[in-house]
């Protein structure tokens, strides 16, 4: 297939779609499925079969990927020619049939659609997620009709690799995997590296608990990621790509495998891509459940079939990566932003966001919010807008206590800082990080030392055990936090904990250990009185911790030691 | 410890074992016996056998010409691979942040109590394996869990226990979770 064919196929499919009278998009991603989307689909299929010969061909049901407001599923989007789209929430099979019957008869349905200015949608800017919920991810033709691989065609035929790297640099795109390293700079490094072979790797390991952006992108629009990787391959001079998918995401892996096959069959990947001299193959690698494999050097050892333990950097992957060759490694969401940048231009992308953080970011908004789900907002949107406008505030009249970002490497942002613009620098200044995009809202029933303990336990479990500060430090910090939350801590423990945090931060081998103390330090900073209430008053303000233990030195049988201890200090 | 996996018990069991070995051989062939494909091979092995016992690990190490310690090291590094047989039902409770904040800890505690087992182990009567996972990527359904592969969202301790009791006992050893 060449670019002209590609355009032809796209136009044909667009025409077919335009001729349809009614298109029904049913969200078929896991949250909606578990809310009953399959029953809705069966009912709609049944309804279709009942229609007469004339009507049936004018109607299409598309099982799409995630539409966003997952807590309101199953979601049904109705697109009629020349009429604005309508989205219905929490549809039941009967409701869906009524809606469709009414639409076919050009009457208004009994059920009310979500208002067209519903803030959940109105406050978002969709770039990486623009196709989510509008295509059937298993049908390459749907993606092509929405412009998939056209950017790749343009890049291959009209631009030099250097120009591509420049364009990405000018767009200001930064890594969405957590670090925020400028993507263009990284591409340029790999492009300039002299080597016989180079690799491109997409990091779809998404280990951050409470985040599912990458999963949704891979499941809902797999071709977008593949196209981004192919553009990166051309820009850097790589002919082989790997996409590493977390083991917990079998559906994402299956969809990607199918997408790769479909794209290869049409000559959009493989040898001589789109009739150019560029060859690019992508292979899928499925992880096996290890958080540390999200770290780039560990991820590469895991691709090579070994224990996923990190190695010290430098050398950076861009210098020596997979099998010793220069390797470009980017997050899935980073790759998903590439095609629109090439299509619309760097200036367009740089027009969104803030001075230093350009474009948009996808967040998984969860926890105690009314509308939980997947959102994409411009960088610099305030936390208040995200939680209260898009998220609809807290349910059951709860009060906002903190928002957790950055998972086990991040921290909790307290209510005083709700007006902070969400971008890389501002969050870092608050002692948290942007991270991969998990945003968990907590109300007053969450106890901060308990949350810190939760993350420490996570880091202890997931520490690969290679370096001592992380392996032993996480255990010791967890022990101290356990004491704080069970009532057996003393004032001294808090100091020890803080010292240990700094030690682990500064001496660990990889990012896991270096950032493991963040949740502790950050909550100590903003919620110190809560820690003190546990230790001094033996009270958990949130009412979570049982505090049924006594400090060892206060047990009657230790009374003697206690005096010695006091004398010494 | 380099014997071929074989089974002395009933012949039909033996043939099913051999059939499974053939599947594994197919996977080995597909990756051209490359050592780098160890994780994929172990994935297939676990999918077909349900768990990775010593025999299987030895077999893989011989076929890929890797030291047994290497194969064992990889199999134990990743949470996904289990060296123990699984129970009739496998319940994976998400203990990711969103689920934790919404009370997943209570669900685990309740299951542990009702079925008399600890998270990460299998009940003595082999009826249930309880696993805790770190975010299954369905955070909007928090607290969520999977029971024999089916996603159950917005659970309470009561609803989970009821769901486990209601699921009919299956004879299949190969669990969906681990595939
Ligand atoms: C402990 C640890 C876990 C990580 N997990 C992920 C992850 O799940 N997904 C991801 O994209 N990057 C993760 N990273 C960041 C990667 O190392 C790497 O920086 C990133 O994939 C680069 O892509 P980007 O420049 O597009 O962000 C992790 C880093 C550390 C230290
Ligand atoms: S935290 Fe449970 S599914 Fe993400």
């Amino acid at each position: 297939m060449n670019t002209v064919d590609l355009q032809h196929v796209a136009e044909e499919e667009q025409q077919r779609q335009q001729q349809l009278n009614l298109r029904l998009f049913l969200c078929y991603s896991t949250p909606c499925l578990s809310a009953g989307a399959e029953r809705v689909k069966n009912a709609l299929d049944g309804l279709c079969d009942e229609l007469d010969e004339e009507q049936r061909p004018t109607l299409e049901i598309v099982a799409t990927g995630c539409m966003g407001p997952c807590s309101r599923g199953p979601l049904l989007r109705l697109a009629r020619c020349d009429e604005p789209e309508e989205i219905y929430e929490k549809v039941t099979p009967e409701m869906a049939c009524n809606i469709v019957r009414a639409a076919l008869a050009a009457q208004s349905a009994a059920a009310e659609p979500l208002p067209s200015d519903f803030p959940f949608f109105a406050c978002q800017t969709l770039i990486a997620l623009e196709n989510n919920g509008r295509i059937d991810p298993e049908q390459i033709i749907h993606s092509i009709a929405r412009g998939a691989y056209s950017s790749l065609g343009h890049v291959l035929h009209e631009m030099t690799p250097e120009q591509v790297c420049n364009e990405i640099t000018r767009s200001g795109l930064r890594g969405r995997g957590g670090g925020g390293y400028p993507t263009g700079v990284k591409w340029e490094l790999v492009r300039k590296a002299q080597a016989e072979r180079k690799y491109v790797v997409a990091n779809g390991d998404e280990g951050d608990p409470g985040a599912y952006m990458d999963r949704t992108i891979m499941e809902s629009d797999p071709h977008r990621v593949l196209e981004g990787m192919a553009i990166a391959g051309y820009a850097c001079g790589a002919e082989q790509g790997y996409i590493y998918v977390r083991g917990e995401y079998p559906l994402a892996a299956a969809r990607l495998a199918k997408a790769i096959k479909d794209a290869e069959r049409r000559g959009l990947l493989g040898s001589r891509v789109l009739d150019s001299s560029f060859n690019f193959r992508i292979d899928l690698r499925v992880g096996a459940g290890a958080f540390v494999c999200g770290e780039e050097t560990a991820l590469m050892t895991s691709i090579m079939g070994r224990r996923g333990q990190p190695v010290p950097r430098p050398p950076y992957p861009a210098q020596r990566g997979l099998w010793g060759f220069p390797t470009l490694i980017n997050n899935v969401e980073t790759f998903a932003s590439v095609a629109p940048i090439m299509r619309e231009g760097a200036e367009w992308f740089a027009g969104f966001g803030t001075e230093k953080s350009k474009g948009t970011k996808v967040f998984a908004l969860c926890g105690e919010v009314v509308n939980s789900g997947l959102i994409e907002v411009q960088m610099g949107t305030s936390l208040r807008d995200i939680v209260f406008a898009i998220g609809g505030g807290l349910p059951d009249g709860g009060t906002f206590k903190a928002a957790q970002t950055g998972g086990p490497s991040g921290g909790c942002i307290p209510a005083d800082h709700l007006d902070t613009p969400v971008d890389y620098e501002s969050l870092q200044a608050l002692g948290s990080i942007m991270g991969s995009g998990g945003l968990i809202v907590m109300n007053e029933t969450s106890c901060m030392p308990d949350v810190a303990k939760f993350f420490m336990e996570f880091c202890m479990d997931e520490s690969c055990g290679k370096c001592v500060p992380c392996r032993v430090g996480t255990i010791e910090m967890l022990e101290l936090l356990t004491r704080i939350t069970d009532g057996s801590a003393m004032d001294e423990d808090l100091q020890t904990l803080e010292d240990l945090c700094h030690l682990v931060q500064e001496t660990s081998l990889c990012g896991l250990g270096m950032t493991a103390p963040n949740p502790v330090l950050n909550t100590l900073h903003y919620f110190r009185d809560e820690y003190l209430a546990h230790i001094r008053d033996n009270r958990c303000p949130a009412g979570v911790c049982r505090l049924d233990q006594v400090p060892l030195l206060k047990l009657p049988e230790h009374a003697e030691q206690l005096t010695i201890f006091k004398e010494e200090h | 410890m380099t014997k071929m996996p074989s089974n002395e018990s009933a012949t039909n069991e033996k043939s099913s074992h051999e059939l499974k070995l053939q599947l594994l051989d197919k996977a080995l062939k597909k990756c051209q016996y490359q050592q780098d494909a160890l994780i994929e091979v172990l994935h297939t092995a676990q999918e077909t056998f349900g768990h990775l016992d010593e025999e299987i690990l030895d077999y893989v190490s011989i076929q890929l010409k890797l030291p047994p310690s290497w194969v064992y090291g990889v199999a134990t590094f990743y949470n996904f691979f289990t060296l123990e047989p699984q129970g009739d039902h496998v319940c994976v409770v998400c203990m990711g942040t969103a689920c934790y904040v919404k009370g997943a800890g209570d669900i685990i505690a309740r299951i542990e109590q009702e079925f008399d087992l600890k998270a990460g182990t299998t009940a003595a009567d082999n009826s249930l394996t309880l696993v805790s996972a770190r975010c299954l990527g369905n955070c909007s359904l928090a607290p969520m869990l999977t029971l024999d592969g089916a996603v159950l969202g917005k659970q309470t301790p009561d609803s989970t226990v009821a769901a486990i009791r209601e699921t009919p006992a299956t004879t299949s050893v190969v669990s969906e979770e681990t595939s």
Side-chain angles (χ1 to χ4, degrees):
Chain A
M1 188 184 257
N2 58 29
T3 35
V4 181
D5 296 339
L6 181 71
Q7 186 159 7
H8 190 70
V9 170
E11 277 164 10
E12 243 173 36
E13 172 67 12
Q14 282 161 4
Q15 261 173 15
R16 184 192 70 81
Q17 292 178 359
Q18 274 158 15
Q19 277 161 6
L20 291 169
N21 196 357
L22 180 62
R23 298 188 79 210
L24 300 168
F25 298 89
L26 182 64
C27 178
Y28 229 50
S29 63
T30 321
C32 282
L33 278 174
S34 93
E38 196 171 0
R39 271 174 281 135
V40 176
K41 175 122 193 312
N42 291 341
L44 288 176
D45 282 340
L47 181 75
C48 274
D49 290 339
E50 284 168 24
L51 294 178
D52 54 42
E53 290 295 313
E54 231 170 86
Q55 266 181 330
R56 201 178 311 148
T58 65
L59 183 149
E60 182 184 42
I61 303 173
V62 185
T64 71
C66 180
M67 292 186 182
C70 305
S71 56
R72 293 176 173 264
L75 293 155
L76 179 69
R77 186 204 309 268
L78 223 65
R80 275 175 284 187
C81 45
D82 350 301
E83 263 180 76
E85 287 182 344
E86 288 173 346
I87 297 185
Y88 294 88
E89 62 171 346
K90 297 190 175 150
V91 287
T92 58
E94 302 80 53
M95 207 176 129
C97 290
N98 284 341
I99 294 169
V100 174
R101 278 205 200 93
L104 285 174
Q107 292 164 344
S108 54
E112 274 293 312
L114 289 173
S116 58
D117 58 350
F118 189 53
F120 184 90
F121 296 109
C123 300
Q124 296 195 47
T125 309
L126 300 185
I127 295 178
L129 301 183
E130 63 187 357
N131 291 340
N132 281 26
R134 297 183 179 273
I135 56 169
D136 179 343
E138 302 203 359
Q139 299 208 25
I140 188 172
I141 192 93
H142 284 200
S143 296
I144 292 178
R146 289 191 60 89
Y149 298 102
S150 61
S151 300
L152 177 63
H154 171 74
V155 164
L156 290 179
H157 294 282
E158 321 273 335
M159 292 172 85
T160 64
E162 195 175 356
Q163 284 171 331
V164 180
C165 289
N166 274 340
E167 192 76 6
I168 296 291
T169 308
R170 281 197 299 124
S171 74
L173 177 65
R174 294 171 64 175
R176 301 297 194 233
Y181 191 79
T183 306
V185 176
K186 206 189 264 186
W187 287 27
E188 186 71 19
L189 277 177
V190 182
R191 186 183 74 79
K192 284 200 180 132
Q194 297 290 332
E196 168 197 348
R197 262 184 289 163
K198 294 179 192 174
Y199 295 100
V200 169
V201 175
N203 186 344
D205 194 49
E206 197 164 54
D208 173 2
Y212 58 104
M213 304 76 46
D214 296 351
R215 166 203 177 117
T216 309
I217 293 175
M218 292 186 285
E219 280 182 11
S220 311
D221 196 4
H223 290 286
R224 172 57 74 83
V225 182
L226 302 182
E227 184 181 6
M229 289 176 73
I231 295 175
Y234 175 73
C236 301
E239 298 203 332
Q240 171 72 47
Y242 289 99
I243 178 158
Y244 189 94
V245 183
R246 199 171 168 230
E248 283 84 345
Y249 297 171
L251 183 63
R255 291 234 166 115
L256 282 165
K258 180 169 191 316
I260 293 172
K261 217 182 245 168
D262 289 348
E264 276 176 356
R265 198 168 295 143
R266 288 181 182 253
L268 301 166
L269 287 177
S271 29
R272 302 184 45 79
V273 176
L274 283 163
D275 259 0
S276 68
S277 57
F278 171 64
N279 308 319
F280 195 68
R281 276 187 54 85
I282 297 180
D283 281 320
L284 189 68
R285 286 285 179 274
V286 178
F291 170 67
V292 72
C293 285
E295 201 278 337
E296 50 193 19
T297 57
L299 184 125
M300 290 187 302
T301 52
S302 182
I303 288 181
M304 296 188 280
R306 304 171 199 174
R307 285 166 70 95
Q309 288 181 317
V311 290
R313 299 175 304 177
Y316 287 91
Q319 302 156 316
R320 293 196 52 193
L322 280 175
W323 294 284
F325 295 106
T327 303
L328 173 76
I329 171 159
N330 271 133
N331 172 258
V332 162
E333 193 190 328
T334 316
F335 281 122
S337 311
V338 168
I341 295 176
M342 300 321 287
R343 185 184 67 217
E344 309 278 342
E347 282 72 27
W348 167 80
F349 189 80
F352 299 103
T354 62
E355 172 77 37
K356 287 196 177 144
S357 308
K358 304 289 187 200
T360 55
K361 175 81 192 89
V362 183
F363 286 99
L365 183 60
C366 294
E368 298 292 339
V369 275
V370 175
N371 306 323
S372 62
L374 205 71
I375 59 164
E376 180 169 7
V377 291
Q378 290 200 32
M379 293 274 191
T381 307
S382 77
L383 202 54
R384 189 184 299 279
D385 283 346
I386 294 180
V387 174
F388 290 94
I390 298 180
L394 284 81
D396 313 321
T399 36
F400 177 91
K401 178 167 185 183
Q404 210 282 337
T405 68
S409 315
C412 296
I413 301 169
D416 308 347
H417 293 279
L418 264 174
D419 289 309
T420 314
V422 174
D423 61 29
Y424 292 100
E425 276 74 25
S426 310
L427 290 188
Q428 205 151 17
L430 291 180
S432 185
I433 58 164
M434 171 91 85
S436 51
L439 211 165
I440 292 150
V441 180
M442 301 184 198
N443 63 12
E444 69 284 356
T445 62
S446 288
C447 164
M448 290 299 134
D450 183 61
V451 168
K453 180 179 140 218
F454 167 80
F455 282 116
M456 192 52 70
E457 195 175 348
F458 179 90
C459 291
M460 183 201 71
D461 267 354
E462 297 296 341
S463 167
C464 75
K466 186 167 173 174
C467 76
V468 180
C470 172
R471 185 182 63 225
V472 184
T474 48
I475 295 178
E476 290 303 319
M477 288 189 284
L478 177 64
E479 175 62 34
L480 287 166
L481 286 164
T482 309
R483 271 199 239 160
I484 292 173
T485 50
D486 72 9
S488 64
M490 317 228 299
D491 270 7
E492 290 78 8
D493 288 331
L494 209 54
Q495 186 58 44
T496 318
L497 180 63
E498 271 184 300
D499 290 347
L500 203 52
C501 281
H502 292 296
L503 182 110
V504 173
Q505 215 169 25
E506 275 159 34
T507 52
S508 292
L509 164 67
C510 83
L512 194 148
M514 286 191 256
T515 57
N518 285 4
V520 182
L521 288 173
N522 166 281
T523 47
L524 262 175
H525 182 71
Y526 291 114
F527 300 95
R528 201 176 188 92
D529 9 328
E530 242 177 87
Y531 280 86
L532 292 178
H534 282 75
I535 299 172
R536 294 193 181 151
D537 313 339
N538 209 33
R539 180 174 67 87
C540 175
V544 173
C545 308
R546 276 213 228 105
L547 296 165
D548 48 7
Q549 305 287 316
V550 190
L552 207 56
L553 290 170
K554 286 193 185 153
L555 291 175
E557 58 264 39
H558 290 290
E560 268 170 46
Q561 279 97 323
L562 189 67
T563 34
I564 301 170
F565 187 82
K566 272 198 177 143
E567 274 165 20
E568 275 177 0
H569 281 71
Chain B
M1 290 297 301
T2 51
K3 64 179 164 36
M4 281 280 292
S6 65
N7 217 326
E8 312 74 50
S9 52
T11 37
N12 56 347
E13 202 171 297
K14 189 173 171 204
S15 65
S16 101
H17 193 78
E18 269 164 13
L19 256 161
K20 288 175 179 172
L21 266 187
Q22 277 174 9
L23 276 175
L24 186 55
D25 282 333
K26 222 167 110 192
L28 282 160
K29 224 170 261 157
K30 198 173 147 212
C31 70
Q32 298 162 341
Y33 296 87
Q34 277 182 22
Q35 298 181 334
D36 292 345
L38 176 58
I39 294 178
E40 277 92 272
V41 172
L42 290 180
H43 266 303
T44 315
Q46 169 138 332
E47 232 168 87
T48 34
F49 292 93
H51 70 286
L52 305 169
D53 58 19
E54 215 167 284
E55 278 183 2
I56 309 288
L57 291 179
D58 271 348
Y59 184 70
V60 170
S61 86
I62 294 167
Q63 296 295 321
L64 293 181
K65 300 197 173 60
L66 283 167
S69 61
W70 180 289
V71 176
Y72 183 78
V74 170
T76 49
F77 182 83
Y78 295 99
N79 297 336
F80 239 63
F81 300 127
T82 155
L83 308 192
E84 303 290 328
Q86 306 272 291
D88 296 339
H89 294 297
V90 181
C91 180
V92 184
V93 181
C94 175
M95 279 289 273
T97 324
C99 293
Y100 181 77
V101 167
K102 291 228 172 193
D106 300 339
I107 298 183
I108 294 227
R110 180 68 184 281
I111 301 177
E112 287 184 337
Q113 188 197 340
E114 292 273 328
F115 294 86
D116 190 24
L117 79 178
K118 280 258 157 268
T121 62
T122 303
D125 63 355
N126 211 33
S127 59
L128 180 75
T129 300
L130 176 64
V131 185
S132 75
R134 300 293 190 179
C135 190
L136 297 169
N138 291 310
C139 318
S140 56
L141 296 175
M144 61 83 62
L145 50 96
T146 66
L147 185 57
D148 294 339
V151 174
L152 305 181
K154 304 197 173 135
Q155 293 290 301
T156 61
D158 287 335
S159 70
T160 309
V161 170
I164 297 175
R165 294 219 189 276
E166 274 162 28
T167 321
T170 43
T171 43
S172 124
V173 201
V174 186
S175 71
E176 287 291 313
E177 251 75 48
T178 47
S179 58

